[in-house]
């Protein structure tokens, strides 16, 4: 295809493509009822996350000695951690 054909094709397609972006003259935004404030009803309650407290290694929460050993082996054999340290 020659350059002039590309330009003609682009000019012919432009109005069609731009027409697809129009929302229409009669568009009106739908109204949505939004509460002024959120009320927590039973049995739900507001949470109080305690993210700042130290929790230790996550795997120790399971109390599994085999998992502890696997984690220890994974940390000792991790080349990325060894290179960073």
């Amino acid at each position: 295809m020659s350059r002039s054909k590309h330009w003609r094709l682009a000019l012919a397609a432009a109005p069609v493509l731009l027409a697809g972006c129009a929302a229409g003259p009669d568009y009106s935004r739908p109204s949505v009822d939004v509460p002024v404030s959120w009320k927590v009803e039973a049995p739900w309650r507001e949470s109080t996350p305690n993210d700042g407290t130290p929790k230790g290694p996550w795997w120790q929460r399971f109390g599994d000695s085999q998992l502890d050993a696997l984690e220890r082996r994974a940390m000792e054999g991790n080349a990325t951690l060894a290179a960073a340290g």
Side-chain angles (χ1 to χ4, degrees):
M1 222 184 229
S2 68
R3 251 188 190 180
S4 63
K5 287 184 181 181
H6 283 195
W7 277 106
R8 283 188 216 152
L9 181 62
L11 288 175
V16 175
L17 293 173
L18 291 175
C21 296
D26 57 349
Y27 174 78
S28 62
R29 182 178 289 206
S31 64
V32 179
D33 294 330
V34 180
V36 176
S37 64
W38 177 263
K39 295 178 183 175
V40 180
E41 298 175 6
W44 306 104
R45 62 188 182 282
E46 289 188 34
S47 66
T48 53
N50 203 2
D51 294 339
T53 59
K55 295 174 181 69
W58 63 268
W59 64 89
Q60 290 180 352
R61 294 184 203 148
F62 294 101
D64 184 356
S65 60
Q66 186 177 5
L67 181 58
D68 287 342
L70 288 170
E71 280 293 329
R72 193 170 29 260
R73 277 185 46 204
M75 296 302 236
E76 290 169 357
N78 189 323
T80 304
L81 290 178

